[in-house]
Structures are given as C-alpha cells and as structure tokens.
Amino acid sequence: MNNLEAEWLQQAIHGDDNAFSLIVETYQRPVYNLCYRMLGDPQEAEDAAQETFWRAYQALNRYDQQRPFATWLLSIAAHYCIDQQRKRRFPTLALDLLPEETIPDATPNPEKVFLELEHQGQIQRLLARLSPPDRAAIILRYWYQFSEEEIARSLSLSISAVKSRLFRARRELAQAYEAPAASALPERRKNESPAL
Amino acid sequence: MNHQPYERWIFESDSLTHAEQEALATHLATCKECARLRQKWSQLEEEALSSPVMLAPQPGFTRRWRHSLIERRQREQRRQAWRFFLFLVAATTLVFLSLVCILLLTTSPTEWIQAAVHTLATTASTFAAARGLAFTWLSLAPASLNIIIGIALGLSFSILVLIWTFAIWKTALTGVWNR
C-alpha cells in the first residue's frame, strides 16, 4: 500500500465515503478476481465483491493497521466466498459469461479469444473440483503470491493446515489436469452412426 | 508402492534440499506414476499457474458500489431502528411483567380488584370534579382569555405530535447509532 492509499484509508476510517470509493477503485480487480475464481460466475462474483467492500467498510474501525490492507480485504472476500460455497449445494460455472477482461488484448482475433476462453474455462473447471478452502488456498498462492503464513492468516488456519491443503489441492489439480485427455470421447469407428 | 514423501516433494520442489532433490530424481526414474504426476504438475504450473490472468469486473464497479452503499446504509439504518424499537418494546414488556409478578407475589387478587374499583371510582369522581371546576372557571373568565388558552393548548398539543412524528420518522430513516 502506497502513501496515497494509506491516506485514503485514514480518511475512510474517519468517515470519508469518497476516500473509500477510491479504495474500491484501486482494489476492485483483485477482489473481483478472487470472488470469480472462487464462485465461477460473473454475477455472483460481482455481488460477492460488493459484499466484501461493504463488510470492509463496516469493519474499518476494527482494521489492524499493522496488517497489509490487501491481505485483510482478500481475507474478507475469501471467507465470504467460502461461506457462499458451503451454502449452495452445487458449484456453478458459467463459461459463456466469462468476464470480457479475460482477454487483455482488445484486437478482434476470434481464434485467440476462443483459445483464451477455453483456457480460462479449463482453469475454472479445475478450480471447481477443489473444496472451497483448498480452492481459496490455491488462488491466494498462485494468483496473489501469498506466502503460506499469509494464507494461514487470511483463512484463519494453521500453517501446517495450509501446507496440507496446498498439497492436497495441487495433487488433485495435477490429477485432474490429465482428465480431459482421459475422458475425451473415443474416436468414431468406421461405419459407426454419428448419432450413437 | 509407497509414494511418500516423494509425492509431497513433487509439489514442493522449490524448498527441497540437495539430498532430497537427488532422492526424488532417483524415485522418479523408477516410479512411472510419480513421474507422470510430476510431468502433469509441471505442465499445469507452467501453463496455468505461472502467470495467472487477473479478471476485472464490468466497467462501472465503483459507481455501482456507491449506489449499493447508499442502499445498504439505508437498509442497515432501518434494521437498526427496528432493533431499537424491538428493544424498547421488550424492555417495556419485561418491566410490566416484572411488576405483575411482584404484585402477584405481594398481594392477593381480591386486593387487586378492590384497588382497581377504588382507583376507577376515584378517577371518575376526580374527572367530574375537574370538569366542574373547568366549566366554572371558563364561565367566570373573559371570552378572549378562553380563546387564548384554547389556542395555546391546541398549539402545544400539535407541537408535541409533530415532535413525536419527526422523532419516529428520523429514527426509522437514519437509524439510532451512526457508524
């Protein structure tokens, strides 16, 4: 957090809503990304990101300023998304509604767009296989480069629990990564009806 | 075959000692299962996890946040006001029930009925006496003074009603405690 953001934070703590809006502007992307990776649906991710900022806004007075603000904010988002995942029975994955910002290059290149969407879809499918806390640990590790200590603090877990979750999640991801090849449809035999 | 600790080491290759790395390499040379897992993990790490894409929300997120902040704050204030009123109702009910319990423990129902009848009778006679007194005073006082007193009483009552309505409206709209 730079000096300007620290100043906004101080102003927000003293009740300045405009300063908090600047914080929202700054952190919207990491928070939204975490929510999307956790929930797999753009609309739910938007709602979860809004809820995260609302919870942060309400809890600003309790924010420990020794702790990095981004870690604290992402911790709120992760906890909220884990709760949401536990509440619903089946994970959703709206691949046709992937956010536009998936493609950083705005050049209209259908093939590139398709491949990128496919790639993002595959990542989401892999993440969807993990339990919510394991998923949160993986996302914080690889998307935000959090250390094991930071993940532990963010998810209210012990470091050994984080290590164990990361190991389990990585193994599951690696095993699932070969699933597309293994589960691909068998090649149609000669004279076989395409309908079958 | 026991794949531990090698299976774990596959995912923690960055933090392994030289000896552990050598032991892992030896195991991978003989264990096809672990070698395959290692290969898949390296592929996944390189293709998907080494430079993950950060997705952004639809444009206008901060504007939507401002709108939602206003709505949420109003909702929270209304909820707070309701909580405050419910607390008041609960406290009043508790006090009333406590008084009833104390009365039940200290007096008998016969005494209650006697006291109630006595209070009713006293109130009715007091009211009748006060009305008689007021009529006498009104008939003796000049008409202009009566009008002034009537206006003053009406205004006082109206102001009280207004203050009460404003307090209810304000509490319902802005809550009891601000952040």
Side-chain angles (χ1 to χ4, degrees):
Chain A
M1 178 176 257
N2 60 37
N3 288 341
L4 193 61
E5 287 170 18
E7 198 180 313
W8 292 341
L9 186 60
Q10 282 306 318
Q11 289 169 351
I13 288 171
H14 290 100
D16 186 343
D17 289 348
N18 288 330
F20 194 81
S21 293
L22 292 169
I23 291 174
V24 172
E25 185 71 35
T26 308
Y27 289 96
Q28 55 173 301
R29 198 179 179 110
V31 170
Y32 175 83
N33 179 68
L34 175 63
C35 296
Y36 180 77
R37 298 295 175 191
M38 285 297 292
L39 302 169
D41 179 83
Q43 189 52 53
E44 281 188 52
E46 163 92 16
D47 294 345
Q50 294 277 353
E51 180 65 29
T52 300
F53 283 114
W54 169 245
R55 290 184 177 198
Y57 176 81
Q58 282 187 306
L60 267 182
N61 292 332
R62 297 194 297 274
Y63 164 60
D64 173 11
Q65 296 190 36
Q66 303 300 316
R67 194 178 170 188
F69 184 73
T71 313
W72 179 68
L73 197 58
L74 291 171
S75 163
I76 296 173
H79 279 290
Y80 178 73
C81 291
I82 290 171
D83 287 346
Q84 290 300 105
Q85 291 273 289
R86 282 180 180 151
K87 278 180 198 165
R88 73 184 187 202
R89 270 181 86 163
F90 303 107
T92 59
L93 182 59
L95 295 180
D96 54 332
L97 293 172
L98 271 170
E100 285 173 20
E101 287 74 12
T102 299
I103 318 298
D105 183 5
T107 316
N109 182 342
E111 192 184 354
K112 192 179 173 189
V113 169
F114 176 78
L115 287 174
E116 189 57 42
L117 280 174
E118 179 58 30
H119 181 61
Q120 290 303 318
Q122 188 187 20
I123 292 171
Q124 279 307 122
R125 278 193 293 273
L126 284 170
L127 288 173
R129 297 176 70 100
L130 304 175
S131 71
D134 290 1
R135 197 182 313 155
I138 282 288
I139 293 166
L140 291 175
R141 178 74 190 86
Y142 289 100
W143 270 264
Y144 300 90
Q145 283 77 47
F146 272 26
S147 65
E148 286 168 350
E149 289 79 9
E150 284 173 319
I151 298 173
R153 206 192 295 173
S154 296
L155 300 179
S156 312
L157 297 169
S158 65
I159 293 177
S160 60
V162 169
K163 282 183 178 174
S164 164
R165 283 189 181 280
L166 281 175
F167 166 67
R168 197 167 54 204
R170 284 162 171 160
R171 189 177 58 187
E172 200 168 337
L173 286 176
Q175 284 168 347
Y177 196 57
E178 47 192 355
S183 66
L185 289 171
E187 203 175 312
R188 188 152 53 90
R189 284 172 299 189
K190 198 181 177 186
N191 302 326
E192 186 182 13
S193 165
L196 301 171
Chain B
M1 185 189 274
N2 182 17
H3 300 288
Q4 290 298 355
Y6 309 110
E7 203 180 42
R8 186 173 284 275
W9 287 354
I10 288 171
F11 303 106
E12 295 168 1
S13 52
D14 293 344
S15 57
L16 296 182
T17 63
H18 186 66
E20 286 170 341
Q21 280 176 357
E22 278 186 358
L24 177 62
T26 310
H27 177 76
L28 291 175
T30 57
C31 178
K32 282 185 181 174
E33 211 175 315
C34 284
R36 196 153 174 266
L37 190 68
R38 163 68 175 261
Q39 187 203 348
K40 288 291 171 191
W41 174 243
S42 305
Q43 218 176 336
L44 174 66
E45 231 185 351
E46 195 185 317
E47 287 176 10
L49 304 175
S50 60
S51 54
V53 176
M54 274 280 184
L55 301 174
Q58 291 292 318
F61 184 87
T62 312
R63 183 175 39 80
R64 293 194 293 280
W65 152 256
R66 285 202 193 99
H67 286 302
S68 95
L69 177 64
I70 295 166
E71 281 172 21
R72 283 167 190 265
R73 199 187 271 157
Q74 284 175 348
R75 217 180 304 147
E76 181 61 28
Q77 284 165 347
R78 266 185 236 122
R79 203 176 297 147
Q80 215 183 68
W82 270 111
R83 277 201 295 262
F84 180 69
F85 284 128
L86 286 176
F87 169 76
L88 281 183
V89 169
T92 312
T93 313
L94 195 70
V95 168
F96 179 74
L97 287 176
S98 306
L99 284 174
V100 169
C101 286
I102 291 168
L103 278 173
L104 275 173
L105 288 171
T106 53
T107 53
S108 70
T110 321
E111 284 173 304
W112 277 33
I113 294 163
Q114 277 178 351
V117 169
H118 177 72
T119 309
L120 271 175
T122 317
T123 309
S125 61
T126 309
F127 180 74
R131 202 177 56 170
L133 194 69
F135 276 127
T136 314
W137 193 82
L138 282 172
S139 60
L140 291 174
S144 57
L145 189 65
N146 284 342
I147 293 166
I148 290 167
I149 290 172
I151 290 169
L153 280 173
L155 270 176
S156 309
F157 184 72
S158 305
I159 288 168
L160 276 176
V161 169
L162 270 175
I163 290 171
W164 179 74
T165 313
F166 179 75
I168 296 286
W169 171 76
K170 190 80 180 163
T171 315
L173 204 70
T174 61
V176 183
W177 305 277
N178 287 321
R179 189 175 76 88

